[in-house]
Amino acid sequence: MTSIGYRAFYDCSGLTKITIPNSVTSIGYNAFGNCKGLRSVIFDNCSTSIGDYAFDACNNLTELDLGNGVTSIGNYAFWERNGLRKIIIPNSVTSIGDNAFDNCSTRIGNSAFIGCSNLTELDLGNSVTSIGDRAFYDCSGLTKITIPNSVTSIGYSAFDGCNNLTELDLGNGVTSIGDQAFYDCSGLRKIIIPNSVTSIGSGAFGNCKGLRSVIFDNCSTRIGNSAFIGCSNLT
């Protein structure tokens, strides 16, 4: 099998598990839409594109591992995934469509976007709950990050090495910033720490040589060892 067509398995509510073989190169529009019983989708290292609305309203899907071959994720591909808690996106993915994971309450896994140097702007919407270790490590093209209020934790080295990052909005839900989370983000000029933050990890903003201003918004927080080490322009 090489392709799965338009609405091929739409509304097959009895399906609980699907394995996509590595021969599949395309999954069509709404192919598995409204499969409300679906809990597991396994991509067997297939080099495939996931079409618009392909898994729309599969709201019992809790974990998603895209394997090592998926090339693109269409618009609204996993929309209305209220049960989704974990997503692993491989570095083979070159494009993620509009609102692809809209309305998902999800966690961005460890190393999910590591080394994606052509990624320039990041807006996580309002459904991501946590950002894993090294999730965006060495994404040197990133210039702007908006972290929504839904995110409560930022993992170890999550944005380490994003040295062209100039704008950072931490939102008002983050409680912990992991060790070296923004280490060597030398393009940052100003940071506002919201009052939700209770801990800032060791070296969290270390070596941010461009950093000039840090504002703590009345937060009751612990500042870890060497949190701002090497911020030589902090005035």
Side-chain angles (χ1 to χ4, degrees):
M1 182 184 293
T2 58
S3 65
I4 300 171
Y6 172 91
R7 287 196 167 194
F9 296 93
Y10 182 82
D11 206 22
C12 292
S13 56
L15 277 175
T16 59
K17 181 179 179 179
I18 300 165
T19 301
I20 310 292
N22 58 17
S23 57
V24 171
T25 57
S26 67
I27 298 173
Y29 178 96
N30 219 196
F32 296 95
N34 213 38
C35 291
K36 294 188 181 299
L38 191 60
R39 287 178 164 77
S40 172
V41 180
I42 299 170
F43 288 81
D44 187 16
N45 297 330
C46 45
S47 180
T48 189
S49 60
I50 299 174
D52 296 348
Y53 294 91
F55 294 89
D56 175 33
C58 298
N59 48 22
N60 281 305
L61 186 60
T62 56
E63 291 195 16
L64 179 65
D65 185 343
L66 295 177
N68 293 310
V70 172
T71 56
S72 64
I73 300 170
N75 300 329
Y76 296 91
F78 295 92
W79 192 45
E80 297 275 357
R81 223 67 24 212
N82 294 323
L84 199 55
R85 293 292 180 270
K86 182 178 180 181
I87 303 169
I88 299 175
I89 299 175
N91 58 15
S92 57
V93 172
T94 57
S95 68
I96 298 176
D98 296 342
N99 301 86
F101 297 97
D102 197 7
N103 287 331
C104 304
S105 177
T106 191
R107 169 186 177 273
I108 296 178
N110 299 339
S111 305
F113 295 90
I114 192 169
C116 294
S117 56
N118 289 318
L119 184 62
T120 58
E121 189 170 326
L122 179 65
D123 187 340
L124 297 175
N126 293 305
S127 55
V128 173
T129 56
S130 64
I131 299 171
D133 298 343
R134 300 185 198 82
F136 296 91
Y137 180 88
D138 204 24
C139 290
S140 55
L142 267 178
T143 59
K144 180 180 179 180
I145 299 169
T146 301
I147 295 175
N149 297 341
S150 57
V151 171
T152 58
S153 63
I154 300 172
Y156 167 81
S157 287
F159 295 94
D160 188 347
C162 296
N163 49 25
N164 283 306
L165 181 63
T166 57
E167 295 183 48
L168 173 62
D169 182 351
L170 284 173
N172 293 307
V174 173
T175 59
S176 63
I177 299 172
D179 296 349
Q180 295 185 253
F182 294 92
Y183 188 85
D184 205 22
C185 290
S186 54
L188 281 175
R189 298 291 181 267
K190 180 179 179 179
I191 301 167
I192 298 175
I193 310 293
N195 59 17
S196 58
V197 173
T198 58
S199 67
I200 298 173
S202 300
F205 295 95
N207 214 36
C208 292
K209 295 184 182 300
L211 192 60
R212 289 174 168 78
S213 173
V214 180
I215 299 170
F216 289 83
D217 187 17
N218 296 325
C219 46
S220 178
T221 190
R222 171 189 174 275
I223 299 174
N225 298 334
S226 306
F228 293 90
I229 193 170
C231 296
S232 52
N233 284 306
L234 185 60
T235 57

